[in-house]
Amino acid sequence: MVVHNAGAGLLLNCVLLLLAEAKQSRDPAASSCELRRKQTELNSFLWTIKRDPPSYFFGTIHVPYTRVWDFVPENSKKAFQQSHIVYFELDLTDPYTISALTSCQLLPQGENLQDVLPRDIYRRLKRHLEYVKHMMPSWMTPDQRGKGLYADYLFNAIAGNWERKRPVWVMLMVNSLTEVDIKSRGVPVLDLYLAQEAERLRKRTGAVEKVEEQCHPLNGLNFSQVSKLKLFK
């Protein structure tokens, strides 16, 4: 992401996915301890390029923003607030981006996942998805249900048309179908939250990558390479 302040000449470039230390422990007690740290003690993940006007790089991560927002230091938030132009990795507010991302995940016309996966893995995958669909209603939070987000709709939104997807995208889909991840659905990831905020604050926005630049490297992986990444955790 890139943002620019026309008045102060501020450029914030959030291209790298580097908020490694912002990953919270899933232990509530550990999270509580971390939140007690002062903002001044946190690493900023904001790099300065010394030029006139100065430029900055800021790292983001694709997780619900509520998991990491308290760990984003004030200097980074201030840089974003003072900016006038923001460039993201992808423009997640553009319907074309979402449509293109969906299309690029599909196998060539006429092919199905059953045709490219070994039979035993395909059967395991199908059983696992049946288990997830059965369990998902119990994973949903009252807040999600109160907002009209129900298990069947959410399952179809995440796993719909899974038999037409390429193995690497199915692997990523399966890894997101956990109870913890399901409970956070409906909360935008950090990149999308910042994009929505930029739009709300009437900042100019753009993207530094095209969908094809993300899809083609992943789609170029063969099954052997994908299997080394592990289809299931």
Side-chain angles (χ1 to χ4, degrees):
M1 178 181 72
V2 181
V3 293
H4 174 71
N5 185 320
L10 177 64
L11 182 69
L12 172 61
N13 191 329
C14 304
V15 178
L16 306 178
L17 310 178
L18 296 175
L19 277 182
E21 290 186 17
K23 293 180 181 177
Q24 295 189 46
S25 165
R26 291 181 180 175
D27 179 353
S31 298
S32 177
C33 290
E34 286 297 317
L35 287 173
R36 294 193 187 104
R37 295 177 63 189
K38 294 179 180 179
Q39 280 279 341
T40 54
E41 296 174 351
L42 297 174
N43 288 334
S44 69
F45 301 99
L46 185 70
W47 288 267
T48 302
I49 300 175
K50 295 182 178 180
R51 59 185 294 276
D52 187 19
S55 300
Y56 301 88
F57 285 89
F58 176 63
T60 60
I61 187 171
H62 297 303
V63 299
Y65 84 95
T66 50
R67 292 189 191 176
V68 297
W69 193 245
D70 289 333
F71 296 86
V72 176
E74 290 301 325
N75 66 334
S76 301
K77 293 177 180 177
K78 184 177 179 180
F80 177 78
Q81 289 292 330
Q82 292 180 344
S83 68
H84 285 184
I85 304 175
V86 188
Y87 289 90
F88 296 91
E89 177 186 5
L90 292 173
D91 185 357
L92 298 177
T93 63
D94 183 353
Y96 168 78
T97 300
I98 306 304
S99 174
L101 280 171
T102 301
S103 297
C104 85
Q105 297 178 20
L106 300 180
L107 288 162
Q109 189 68 32
E111 289 188 26
N112 291 305
L113 195 61
Q114 190 171 9
D115 302 325
V116 298
L117 284 185
R119 183 178 298 178
D120 62 327
I121 292 183
Y122 178 82
R123 288 175 175 173
R124 286 175 56 205
L125 171 63
K126 191 171 183 178
R127 286 197 303 269
H128 180 71
L129 292 178
E130 289 170 351
Y131 162 78
V132 169
K133 187 172 185 178
H134 173 73
M135 293 299 298
M136 194 174 283
S138 67
W139 294 348
M140 303 291 291
T141 67
D143 184 60
Q144 287 172 319
R145 288 190 287 269
K147 293 178 179 177
L149 193 61
Y150 292 96
D152 285 345
Y153 169 82
L154 188 57
F155 181 83
N156 288 330
I158 300 171
N161 208 26
W162 64 270
E163 293 186 88
R164 285 278 297 119
K165 292 185 178 181
R166 297 173 184 267
V168 66
W169 296 104
V170 172
M171 178 199 70
L172 295 172
M173 177 195 76
V174 168
N175 286 343
S176 71
L177 287 170
T178 66
E179 181 175 359
V180 171
D181 287 321
I182 293 303
K183 287 183 182 297
S184 65
R185 286 285 173 163
V187 178
V189 296
L190 181 58
D191 301 62
L192 179 57
Y193 172 73
L194 290 173
Q196 291 172 338
E197 280 295 287
E199 198 171 61
R200 183 181 68 83
L201 296 170
R202 299 182 181 278
K203 301 177 187 293
R204 287 175 52 194
T205 61
V208 297
E209 290 185 22
K210 297 179 180 179
V211 171
E212 294 76 15
E213 292 173 326
Q214 290 212 346
C215 283
H216 289 172
L218 288 174
N219 289 348
L221 297 175
N222 59 40
F223 177 73
S224 175
Q225 292 168 317
V226 172
S227 65
K228 290 177 182 178
L229 298 175
K230 297 184 179 179
L231 186 57
F232 296 101
K233 286 183 178 180

